[in-house]
Amino acid sequence: MSELGPPLREVATHCPYCALQCGTRLAGDRETGVVVRPDDFPVNRGRLCQKGWTAPAVLSATDRLTRPLVRRRDGRLAEASWDVALERVAGELRRIRAEHGPDGVAVFGGGGLTNEKAYLLGKFARLALGTSQIDYNGRFCMSSAAAAGNAAFGVDRGLPFPVTDLQGARTVLLAGANVAETMPPLMQHLDGAELIVTDPRRTATAQRAALHLQPAPGTDLALALGLFHIAAVDGLLDRNYIQDRTRGFEAALRRAMDWWPERVEAVTGVPASDQRAAVHMLARAGGAYVLTGRGVEQHSTGTDTVAGFINFALALGLPGRAGSGYGCLTGQGNGQGGREHGQKADQLPGYRSITDPAARAHVAAVWGVAPQELPGPGRSAYELLDALGGDRGPRALLVFGSNPAVSAPHSTRVTERLAALDLLVVADFVPSETARLADVVLPVTQWAEEEGTLTNLEGRVLRRRARLSPPEQVRSDLQVLHELAVRLGEPASRYPTVPQEVFDELRAASRGGRADYAGISYERLDAGESLHWPCPDTPDPHPGTPRLFLDRFEHPDGRARFAAVDHQGPAEELSLHYPLHATTGRVLAHYQSGAQTRRVAELNDAVPGPFVEMHPDTALRSGVSDAGLARVVSARGSMTARVRVDPTLRLDTVFAPFHFPGAGRANLFTHPALDPHSGMPAFKVCAVRVEPVSGVAP
């Protein structure tokens, strides 16, 4: 099934993990082994993290999926031919649609899919299935920052400037971002800056900071309001910028004026003196940036919290100026492109709204259908998963590039809903925890076996290039979607299998949208051009837009918007029964649900299993000891893990990474409360207790 030409001596491509998309070069083959070396690409400048160096190991994982699997009557998954597997899927989809309507079938995508896959997946869902029920795991990562960015600036691009601009920064506020572990090559761009880090933990990033602000989980918005308050009271506002380039300042300021430093200290635990120091460091820097990460976004008030930090940045006059700005540190490999091309419940390609009549008409014309044939918006990710198998929910789910059995909040509930389906289909290259629950498993290509494009956190469109041909019985996701669509009665020509052909159609569908790719082509990318969207199709080739907002913001009047937001606190308060805050996150050695990195010996040796981190005094009060087993219990469930004591952690907070399956799933205890604007679950804070447990670690 390969469409590759003769193998090359060395291939220039990009790391399969985070949104930096570090440049790499691959050499070798299956017999001798694939080796990677870093490329001198702007974001990584010849460096890689531990995950990037070991990425080729996943290509030879011993449990690589190489044949379709179909669940037999005895409950076991058994190898089957592609015809048998696809006919099983298509037949069940036809039956379920006939009995329950088009929305009886759902699709769940991923922020690691290439732009081509994300685009064709959205098209397949809305045309071949006719369903509105499509969303993706990026809803769990960047959605709050996207919602806040769209509201403030009129467009959402993680960094509206190149990563390399950070090298000129004097001071950088990292709000809820631990880039030293999650994006290590990014740290070289911050070496010359004073860092201010807000995080309940003293992370590797916080250890390198000039100032560490350590708020209680769930109080980040109170801190942002307090910083805005201090800037106003201490005369540090950029009044000319506010007057000339923004709207909504007075209403936002009225909210912030209720948050004087001592009140903020009482709520967050951050000393008033440290708050003042942070504001003065940023206001007097001459080159300052405010960057947010998952720590302030993954809350039931995540959109408002990000808006609070954007307000602060606007008050200082940072966004839209050379040498300063605001940005979101997008997480997943194609977290930016993945949310632009239609695999999100409320969007069509080009970052268009699915409820906008003009957007519907444009995309329908590209697809050759009438606008009324396109379904409307569907459920957001957790709402979709929560509805599976219910009376009014989908009866079938197709999963591409995601592992929600581990990554979704309240995962006991999610696995129950997956089990309640009539049909669960998973396309993957390893037997993830979700794949093991499936009725049909379809083996698909890995990153080094496929062509395509991805869009990194700066809005730079990149070429992924194949080094290997896939195993004989492995197909690309594009081929899978094509085969299923044809079996469901769609024209074969509507679902190309060649990535470049899909990208050319994506360009047409995105034309004129917020994320306009019309002027980008494989030819330009392969010629070495660096192209950031928007890049419209113009008579003279458009150079792309590495820096947004220098002249105007993307609202019709060209002005950015302050948001009148206020602190509400977390969805779940502490109590006698659950006296501790729990927060979750990533560690250096692992990525997302761990489906890939847990299969790499070096990474498993570094962090072999789940752990819960807490202050020694908290451990003592809970009756647990360092390296002993503990259970972290919330109102929804419990996780079992080894204890790690850390005297720098807050006494009221415990931390657990979310990369591990089984009884070590942190998402067994996380809260599914959703942000009303973005649909983001409250991964970063819930109420728990810790108790000792005897036995064998998970």
Side-chain angles (χ1 to χ4, degrees):
M1 302 302 298
S2 172
E3 298 156 357
L4 307 180
L8 303 175
R9 180 185 296 270
E10 189 175 61
V11 168
T13 187
H14 294 269
C15 178
Y17 293 117
C18 82
L20 275 183
Q21 284 298 287
C22 294
T24 61
R25 290 185 174 270
L26 299 180
D29 52 37
R30 293 199 189 278
E31 288 69 34
T32 63
V34 175
V35 294
V36 63
R37 67 179 180 90
D39 209 345
D40 189 24
F41 187 65
V43 301
N44 60 306
R45 298 194 307 183
R47 300 186 187 182
L48 291 176
C49 74
Q50 188 179 22
K51 292 186 292 292
W53 280 112
T54 59
V58 186
L59 298 168
S60 56
T62 56
D63 59 350
R64 170 73 190 273
L65 293 169
T66 57
R67 297 284 193 280
L69 303 174
V70 175
R71 196 167 298 279
R72 305 188 309 192
R73 292 184 182 274
D74 63 4
R76 296 172 57 195
L77 283 170
E79 290 186 359
S81 69
W82 273 99
D83 279 342
V84 167
L86 292 172
E87 278 302 323
R88 167 80 176 271
V89 174
E92 283 292 281
L93 292 176
R94 286 192 292 267
R95 177 188 66 78
I96 292 167
R97 291 177 66 210
E99 294 178 5
H100 301 279
D103 281 355
V105 177
V107 176
F108 199 83
L113 299 178
T114 63
N115 291 320
E116 293 80 0
K117 293 179 187 178
Y119 170 81
L120 204 67
L121 187 63
K123 182 181 181 181
F124 171 83
R126 293 182 173 105
L127 296 189
L129 299 177
T131 183
S132 67
Q133 302 300 295
I134 175 172
D135 213 81
Y136 81 128
N137 65 13
R139 183 77 70 170
F140 298 157
C141 297
M142 293 77 59
S143 57
S144 289
N150 276 320
F153 308 123
V155 70
D156 156 47
R157 199 176 86 187
L159 296 185
F161 49 80
V163 162
T164 50
D165 282 5
L166 295 172
Q167 295 170 25
R170 296 280 300 277
T171 305
V172 176
L173 170 61
L174 293 167
N178 180 18
V179 292
E181 290 194 77
T182 60
M183 295 179 168
L186 181 61
M187 291 299 291
Q188 65 187 305
H189 300 287
L190 301 172
D191 283 344
E194 284 187 311
L195 298 185
I196 304 167
V197 174
T198 74
D199 200 305
R201 303 168 60 224
R202 189 158 178 78
T203 62
T205 309
Q207 291 171 24
R208 295 175 63 173
L211 180 61
H212 178 203
L213 309 180
Q214 203 164 3
T219 65
D220 304 275
L221 180 50
L223 178 60
L225 289 162
L227 300 179
F228 186 4
H229 175 110
I230 292 168
V233 171
D234 289 6
L236 300 173
L237 300 175
D238 189 328
R239 293 282 183 178
N240 290 333
Y241 174 97
I242 291 168
Q243 179 177 337
D244 295 342
R245 301 203 63 187
T246 73
R247 290 195 185 280
F249 168 74
E250 294 296 340
L253 179 63
R254 282 194 294 273
R255 299 286 181 89
M257 292 309 292
D258 288 337
W259 289 92
W260 56 94
E262 291 73 21
R263 184 188 180 196
V264 173
E265 179 175 347
V267 171
T268 67
V270 176
S273 59
D274 286 351
Q275 299 172 45
R276 290 190 175 95
V279 176
H280 283 258
M281 287 168 65
L282 284 159
R284 295 174 177 170
Y289 290 84
V290 174
L291 305 178
T292 59
R294 306 298 83 74
V296 300
E297 298 161 16
Q298 291 179 321
H299 295 273
S300 59
T301 57
T303 301
D304 285 354
T305 302
V306 175
F309 282 98
I310 292 175
N311 283 350
F312 177 50
L314 290 171
L316 297 181
L318 305 182
R321 278 183 167 167
S324 67
Y326 162 81
C328 159
L329 295 170
T330 297
Q332 292 193 74
N334 199 30
Q336 183 67 57
R339 65 185 186 259
E340 297 168 357
H341 299 303
Q343 64 171 332
K344 201 172 170 212
D346 54 355
Q347 285 181 2
L348 291 171
Y351 220 138
R352 289 180 160 92
S353 169
I354 199 168
T355 59
D356 177 6
R360 293 171 64 84
H362 175 86
V363 173
V366 173
W367 289 353
V369 299
Q372 59 268 27
E373 293 182 51
L374 302 181
R379 297 175 173 95
S380 68
Y382 182 78
E383 294 171 308
L384 174 58
L385 296 172
D386 187 56
L388 296 174
D391 291 341
R392 298 185 179 181
R395 306 297 307 181
L397 179 69
L398 283 68
V399 178
F400 288 79
S402 188
N403 188 17
V406 175
S407 64
H410 199 356
S411 58
T412 298
R413 167 73 179 173
V414 169
T415 52
E416 289 172 352
R417 299 328 306 156
L418 292 170
L421 289 165
D422 294 354
L423 177 69
L424 174 61
V425 181
V426 175
D428 211 330
F429 50 82
V430 292
S432 71
E433 287 69 29
T434 306
R436 290 170 183 166
L437 301 173
D439 299 293
V440 179
V441 180
L442 303 175
V444 292
T445 51
Q446 288 197 61
W447 60 286
E449 301 164 351
E450 61 187 19
E451 299 282 323
T453 63
L454 300 99
T455 306
N456 78 346
L457 77 171
E458 335 160 274
R460 188 196 305 251
V461 182
L462 309 169
R463 278 280 279 118
R464 171 176 283 180
R465 297 181 178 88
R467 179 65 192 88
L468 303 174
S469 295
E472 184 178 358
Q473 289 297 312
V474 168
R475 298 186 180 181
S476 73
D477 300 75
L478 301 181
Q479 291 168 329
V480 170
L481 293 171
H482 173 92
E483 293 285 349
L484 285 175
V486 169
R487 283 170 166 80
L488 293 171
E490 286 283 287
S493 60
R494 186 171 279 171
Y495 301 89
T497 61
V498 178
Q500 185 170 354
E501 293 178 10
V502 179
F503 187 79
D504 286 341
E505 186 181 309
L506 178 159
R507 294 170 58 201
S510 75
R511 185 185 305 274
R514 287 180 177 178
D516 189 340
Y517 283 46
I520 303 172
S521 66
Y522 272 41
E523 289 80 9
R524 295 186 71 184
L525 295 175
D526 287 342
E529 291 192 63
S530 175
L531 299 173
H532 300 70
W533 69 259
C535 184
D537 189 11
T538 54
D540 294 323
H542 193 282
T545 314
R547 294 172 184 85
L548 294 172
F549 314 141
L550 294 180
D551 300 316
R552 66 189 311 278
F553 294 99
E554 293 303 315
H555 289 296
D557 61 2
R559 293 171 177 262
R561 304 293 197 261
F562 281 87
V565 294
D566 208 348
H567 173 66
Q568 300 176 39
E572 187 172 58
E573 298 292 343
L574 302 185
S575 66
L576 185 63
H577 203 47
Y578 302 110
L580 299 170
H581 297 295
T583 188
T584 65
R586 284 171 51 186
V587 297
L588 173 61
H590 290 293
Y591 181 71
Q592 300 301 90
S593 72
Q596 297 173 73
T597 53
R598 285 187 275 111
R599 288 172 164 81
V600 178
E602 181 178 326
L603 301 179
N604 256 341
D605 289 344
V607 184
F611 63 88
V612 56
E613 187 177 272
M614 66 189 75
H615 192 280
D617 291 350
T618 306
L620 183 64
R621 289 200 308 270
S622 301
V624 301
S625 58
D626 190 33
L629 281 177
R631 184 177 292 114
V632 183
V633 185
S634 76
R636 289 155 298 283
S638 64
M639 163 203 182
T640 303
R642 292 285 178 193
V643 174
R644 288 188 183 181
V645 297
D646 181 350
T648 70
L649 202 62
R650 291 177 57 100
L651 287 162
D652 61 359
T653 300
V654 301
F655 165 81
F658 59 81
H659 310 292
F660 301 97
R665 283 177 290 172
N667 281 316
L668 289 167
F669 64 72
T670 51
H671 203 299
L674 302 181
D675 181 286
H677 306 289
S678 66
M680 171 73 79
F683 289 107
K684 289 302 183 187
V685 59
C686 67
V688 301
R689 68 175 182 270
V690 175
E691 56 190 32
V693 61
S694 59
V696 179

